[in-house]
Amino acid sequence: MKTPILKQGPYLIASLQDELTDTDLLQLQDTLVEQVGRFRSRGVILDVTMLDVMDSFATRTLRNMVQAVSLRGAEAVIVGIRPEVAFAMVQLGLDLRLSGVQTTLDLEEALVMLDHQGQGWGRHG
Amino acid sequence: MAEVVRVAIRSDADIVMVRQQARVLAKELGFSASDLTLIATALSELARNIVDYAGQGEIILSLINQGGHRGLVIIARDNGPGITDIERAMQDGYSTGKGLGMGLPGTRRLMDEFEISSGMGQGTTVKVTKWAR
Amino acid sequence: MTEEMKQNTEKTLMEELGFTEVEIARRRAFLELGDDDIQELLSINKLAKEYADPVIEAFYKHLLSFEETRVFFQDPGLLERVKRAQKAYFSRLTQGDYDNTYIEDRLNIGAVHERIGLPVKAYLGMYNFYLRNVANHLYEAYKDMPGKALRVYLSLLKVVFLDIGLAIDTYINRREQLIGKQREAMRELPTPVLQVRDRLLIIPVVGILDSYRARQLTEQLLDSISATRAKAVLMDITGVPIVDSKVANHLLQTVSAARLMGATVILTGLSPQIAQALVAIGVDLSHVRTTVDLQSGLEEAERLLGYRLVPVGERTGTNQAHV
Ligand SMILES: Nc1ncnc2c1ncn2[C@@H]1O[C@H](COP(=O)(O)OP(=O)(O)O)[C@@H](O)[C@H]1O
Ligand SMILES: [Mg+2]
């Protein structure tokens, strides 16, 4: 199953689908890293609202994605971790693995955050 | 009375499938939404270990009723290489692959009961139980 | 048939208090209540019948002469009934067979007294009064055999102390049940999650945080964050009496789960003593925002949300000289 990726201005928005397999997830990582370069995107939003499970594999892959994307000069935000998923992740002990990763409640919030950070760069740069 | 579902685990698509099956079964038992997620997450870890380390195996889901207490039992079984040092495998962050090493210890935290038996060349069996409240 | 039914009810009450044959035997052994004591007591059964009435009269005269105990026996009908029961009990003391049925009866009586609210001090005081009274009667009856009087009295003491132990156990049991019920009620009591303004929640945590409640609290908080799109949460733990490493870990997990959802939790009401104790036992709170009180927590939360607190006068620029 392919993950739809939407290009919105300087950002890429990936909406991760329910029933995503490990292979799909790894494929998404490749695609995103490639597209960030191609579109010179400033930010990547990983929307996980649809995911009803985030196990250690998904967590590790998302973390890797965030790191890979930032190595290519873009900010990444994980969006929409559900309450019960957040609870399970903490129980499993995965929360620490995402401690350096930005998370927001929803897409709107993520866009505000990225815009804000963009401005910050502008001021200093 | 015990309903039993067996799912062969051979690929990552099976991981997704077994999660769905468990959700259906657990819902019947009246587990809360957050318990369903805990169960699905644990199952995901166990199924992935089968795919990653043994190549193939099976997962058996069953309902139990102990003196009016109902629960879901998950048995994950394979004939893979087995685990040489179970104690280490149960530690947070220990992985012989490139995983986070949170699968087994995390699963123990997610479930109410956890049993593992494994040995070099003997395959691995993990049995976990979650009680409905 | 009736025998069997009686056995059944007996069992349940005794079971509730954990009374087994072994336990009863152990208690008797500890008091050194043996067959010779039973013989001693049986030997004065006739005498006991003789002094039963004067003892009972004195007993209730004493009871009724104190306001504290009088209130329990206002109803004359009740008083008569209680008197009769008490008299039966006193004569039962010298009839031997301190077996299961006997124990069960004592437990029942103890439970009744606890239920009407008779304080333990009154219970013990009346036993004391009774013993002194009986001691006098024994002394009189065995004037020529002081050894006999003493032996009987000591045997009686053993049985009475067995009974006192049983009565106090029923008191404690009832209190424990009450505490258990209250704890249950506390558990069921949902922790309120208050939305103070847009995207800001306050959650005052009150009471003991065991794993069950901690889980409830976390789930409730996470659901509320999702429902209200909260960005900041003030978790006030002033009302949590014990914050040990276990509770601290529950709180850390809650904070962490909220963060995964994109909300920042600010912990308030952590006393300096508790903070220091946590550091001492190795709980790492460095990743958690904490403030000393709700007020500063609120200020921090508002900064987070991009609000700025400005005094009314400053904002409007009006002169407040008339205040
Ligand atoms: N079914 C299995 N067969 C063989 N080895 C296993 C199996 N499950 C787990 N292991 C071993 O235990 C280790 C820890 O497993 P786990 O906690 O799931 O972490 P991870 O999978 O991230 O390494 C694995 O790295 C692997 O060496
Ligand atoms: Mg694993």
Side-chain angles (χ1 to χ4, degrees), chain A residues 81-83 86-87 89-91 95 98-99 101 103-106 108-109, chain C residues 199 215 218-219 222-223 225-226 229-231 253 256-257 259-262:
Chain A
I81 297 179
R82 293 190 200 175
F87 184 75
M89 288 175 75
V90 169
Q91 295 291 304
D95 47 324
L98 284 183
S99 56
V101 178
T103 50
T104 65
L105 195 69
D106 52 28
E108 196 184 323
E109 193 64 35
Chain C
R199 318 206 63 181
R215 171 165 180 181
T218 308
E219 287 185 357
L222 298 180
D223 285 342
I225 288 173
S226 163
R229 295 186 71 231
K231 229 179 119 174
Q253 287 190 340
S256 198
R259 196 199 74 80
L260 286 177
M261 290 184 65

Side-chain angles (χ1 to χ4, degrees), chain A residues 56 60, chain B residues 45-46 48-50 52-54 78 80-83 88-91 94-106 116 118 123-124 126:
Chain A
S56 62
R60 176 165 66 97
Chain B
E45 296 294 342
L46 296 179
R48 177 161 297 99
N49 281 352
I50 293 178
D52 283 356
Y53 305 113
D78 65 62
I83 302 172
R88 280 184 83 186
M90 289 309 296
Q91 280 168 12
Y94 175 77
S95 174
T96 56
K98 42 189 172 72
L100 293 176
M102 301 301 284
L104 291 176
I116 181 167
S118 183
T124 302
V126 181

Side-chain angles (χ1 to χ4, degrees), chain A residues 33-121:
Chain A
V33 172
E34 186 265 323
Q35 289 199 2
V36 163
R38 175 144 49 101
F39 299 119
R40 301 177 158 275
S41 302
R42 269 209 338 249
V44 171
I45 294 173
L46 299 164
D47 187 351
V48 298
T49 314
M50 301 288 280
L51 294 192
D52 55 11
V53 169
M54 284 260 269
D55 59 10
S56 62
F57 180 82
T59 302
R60 176 165 66 97
T61 315
L62 283 175
R63 189 196 59 188
N64 289 350
M65 263 186 235
V66 169
Q67 283 170 356
V69 161
S70 77
L71 281 177
R72 307 218 62 188
E75 288 285 315
V77 189
I78 296 178
V79 163
I81 297 179
R82 293 190 200 175
E84 66 272 17
V85 172
F87 184 75
M89 288 175 75
V90 169
Q91 295 291 304
L92 201 68
L94 297 175
D95 47 324
L96 291 179
R97 318 289 151 158
L98 284 183
S99 56
V101 178
Q102 304 187 87
T103 50
T104 65
L105 195 69
D106 52 28
L107 215 58
E108 196 184 323
E109 193 64 35
L111 289 169
V112 171
M113 183 189 263
L114 288 173
D115 281 346
H116 202 74
Q117 282 163 355
Q119 279 168 23
W121 289 350

